[in-house]
Amino acid sequence: MSGIFDRNNQDSALFIGGSRVSGQEVRSQNVMAAQSIANVIKTSLGPVGLDKMLVDDVGEVTISNDGATILQLLEVEHPAGKILVKLAQQQDTEVGDGTTSVVIIAAELLRRANELIKSHIHPATVIAGYRLACKEANRFIADQMAQRVEKLGTEALVNVAMTTISSKILGTYGTFFAQMAVDALQAVRTQDARGKARYPVAAVNVLKVKGASARESSYFTGYALYRPFTGAAMKRAVANPKIAVIDFDITKTRMKLGVNIVIDNPESLEAIRKREADISTERVRMLLDAGVTAVFSTRGIDDMYVKMFAEAGAVTVTRVPKDDARRIARGCGASVLTTLANLDGDESVDVSALGSAELVEQVRLSDDDVVVLRGAREQHASTVILRGANDYMLDEMERSFHDSLCAVKR
């Protein structure tokens, strides 16, 4: 028994049932794992590539031919296979397209390198040759193939988007979605501090609406939110709104947990209840007195306060996702208000934290109401509305359209 703790024992670190593999055997295992990963997604490459249907443990179905999506849903345990999965994810993050290609190329390079090593060429020599080939390939692309982006017109950008979506579900619709991707990105063009053009893909909002044909998908300049106005009596549109983005409830105020109030007079109980309602009423009046005509809240607003906003001619949208709230605040030049408290211990509305736009309106898409924010002050936004038969089709259309946006951005 004590022999397993001997330092000279070759397997002393693996005495609990493990095994050590080295040399050509482990290299072949790694190459085989990489080849297995590549074979899974190889048939999804190109214009005639096939879609994959993946079902997880809870029965959730995903249909896609996007390499990063397929590999993300696979349960890969082999270390070499995990490297290829991370490679596809990194390609998707940095470029947005080519996730299948990089995995297939990497697996083929590994296979060729393994054959060279079997021919008694040292691994260091193979690695040095690959690095030299990479440098030569980069130099050739820079000297012979690269062109200045400023020289490319709209037609070239449409062709880039067409190349990206040609192997995906949107490829059968010609230049329809390619032109839409180019227009959507050009609408959100901004400049950084150094005057360099930026095309933030996050500023392009994609809404998925079931029903109708994919060719009925549309694009418009503005930010759309898949939420209706809170009150039925509110206006359908507000021109030149002053916008407040809040991250707190406008509901009847309740005592915090652990706070107990002991009263002797029943009339005092009614006064406490009235004060609880008046606290939020005062907050609503503060917002209205500051000129707020549109409120986007990440939480709820009680009906009695919705009625106050409606009577004042303001509109409210509740349960806004926090990512959308931050995006709206950034676009219209507002700040997300988590409280109305100021440094003096009172409550007030900071006018500088409010934003503005040209129009806030509610439009109807299929069976749902959508709030549209047009003409944001700070950052323009564009919205693409995808139409499709079911959720599986819409999800794949969104992935394909996002890839084309990322390619055009580059």
Side-chain angles (χ1 to χ4, degrees), residues 59-75:
E60 187 73 24
V61 178
T62 303
I63 302 175
S64 176
N65 72 343
D66 181 59
T69 303
I70 295 171
L71 294 180
Q72 188 177 6
L73 295 173
L74 293 179
E75 296 180 359

Side-chain angles (χ1 to χ4, degrees), residues 47-88:
V48 293
L50 305 176
D51 287 0
K52 298 283 188 286
M53 178 184 289
L54 299 101
V55 184
D56 60 11
D57 295 337
V58 296
E60 187 73 24
V61 178
T62 303
I63 302 175
S64 176
N65 72 343
D66 181 59
T69 303
I70 295 171
L71 294 180
Q72 188 177 6
L73 295 173
L74 293 179
E75 296 180 359
V76 180
E77 296 182 356
H78 195 280
K82 286 183 178 179
I83 292 176
L84 288 188
V85 175
K86 293 288 182 63
L87 173 65

Side-chain angles (χ1 to χ4, degrees), residues 248-304:
F248 55 86
D249 293 313
I250 302 183
T251 57
K252 187 177 178 181
T253 307
R254 293 176 176 84
M255 291 296 155
K256 305 295 183 183
L257 291 176
V259 176
N260 296 320
I261 300 177
V262 180
I263 60 173
D264 298 327
N265 188 353
E267 295 179 358
S268 301
L269 179 60
E270 187 61 29
I272 291 173
R273 288 176 177 170
K274 186 176 183 303
R275 181 56 188 159
E276 286 177 346
D278 289 344
I279 291 175
S280 293
T281 302
E282 292 172 1
R283 291 174 179 171
V284 172
R285 286 179 181 150
M286 287 178 191
L287 290 170
L288 293 175
D289 292 342
V292 173
T293 54
V295 177
F296 293 86
S297 174
T298 60
R299 302 189 187 181
I301 300 178
D302 279 351
D303 291 341
M304 62 179 295

Side-chain angles (χ1 to χ4, degrees), residues 57-325:
D57 295 337
V58 296
E60 187 73 24
V61 178
T62 303
I63 302 175
S64 176
N65 72 343
D66 181 59
T69 303
I70 295 171
L71 294 180
Q72 188 177 6
L73 295 173
L74 293 179
E75 296 180 359
V76 180
E77 296 182 356
H78 195 280
K82 286 183 178 179
I83 292 176
L84 288 188
V85 175
K86 293 288 182 63
L87 173 65
Q89 293 175 352
Q90 188 67 19
Q91 176 76 5
D92 189 45
T93 303
E94 293 293 329
V95 182
D97 190 30
T99 52
T100 305
S101 303
V102 294
V103 173
I104 294 175
I105 292 174
E108 184 63 19
L109 289 175
L110 283 173
R111 187 184 68 81
R112 298 289 182 90
N114 194 38
E115 292 178 357
L116 292 175
I117 292 173
K118 287 180 180 179
S119 301
H120 306 291
I121 298 177
H122 196 275
T125 305
V126 176
I127 294 172
Y130 275 4
R131 285 177 175 166
L132 179 61
C134 180
K135 290 180 181 178
E136 287 297 317
N138 288 333
R139 185 181 62 80
F140 178 81
I141 292 174
D143 295 342
Q144 305 295 330
M145 302 174 65
Q147 294 185 13
R148 299 289 299 176
V149 178
E150 292 80 4
K151 298 179 181 179
L152 300 178
T154 305
E155 184 180 355
L157 296 177
V158 172
N159 290 335
V160 169
M162 274 291 297
T163 303
T164 303
I165 66 177
S166 61
S167 62
K168 304 182 186 299
I169 191 173
L170 301 180
T172 58
Y173 298 99
T175 61
F176 181 75
F177 285 99
Q179 185 67 52
M180 191 182 296
V182 174
D183 292 341
L185 263 187
Q186 287 180 340
V188 298
R189 182 180 184 273
T190 58
Q191 288 186 344
D192 58 11
R194 295 177 294 179
K196 188 176 180 181
R198 297 288 182 185
Y199 298 90
V201 175
V204 180
N205 188 29
V206 178
L207 286 185
K208 298 176 289 185
V209 181
K210 284 188 290 187
S213 167
R215 283 199 176 275
E216 295 185 32
S217 300
S218 59
Y219 147 80
F220 61 87
T221 302
Y223 190 85
L225 193 63
Y226 218 156
R227 302 287 302 169
F229 287 154
T230 311
M234 289 181 174
K235 298 178 180 178
R236 299 299 94 180
V238 177
N240 299 316
K242 188 171 285 188
I243 300 169
V245 183
I246 62 175
D247 188 20
F248 55 86
D249 293 313
I250 302 183
T251 57
K252 187 177 178 181
T253 307
R254 293 176 176 84
M255 291 296 155
K256 305 295 183 183
L257 291 176
V259 176
N260 296 320
I261 300 177
V262 180
I263 60 173
D264 298 327
N265 188 353
E267 295 179 358
S268 301
L269 179 60
E270 187 61 29
I272 291 173
R273 288 176 177 170
K274 186 176 183 303
R275 181 56 188 159
E276 286 177 346
D278 289 344
I279 291 175
S280 293
T281 302
E282 292 172 1
R283 291 174 179 171
V284 172
R285 286 179 181 150
M286 287 178 191
L287 290 170
L288 293 175
D289 292 342
V292 173
T293 54
V295 177
F296 293 86
S297 174
T298 60
R299 302 189 187 181
I301 300 178
D302 279 351
D303 291 341
M304 62 179 295
Y305 306 115
V306 169
K307 183 173 179 289
M308 292 180 62
F309 281 115
E311 290 175 348
V315 295
T316 59
V317 184
T318 57
R319 308 298 177 189
V320 178
K322 290 198 174 183
D323 290 340
D324 290 331

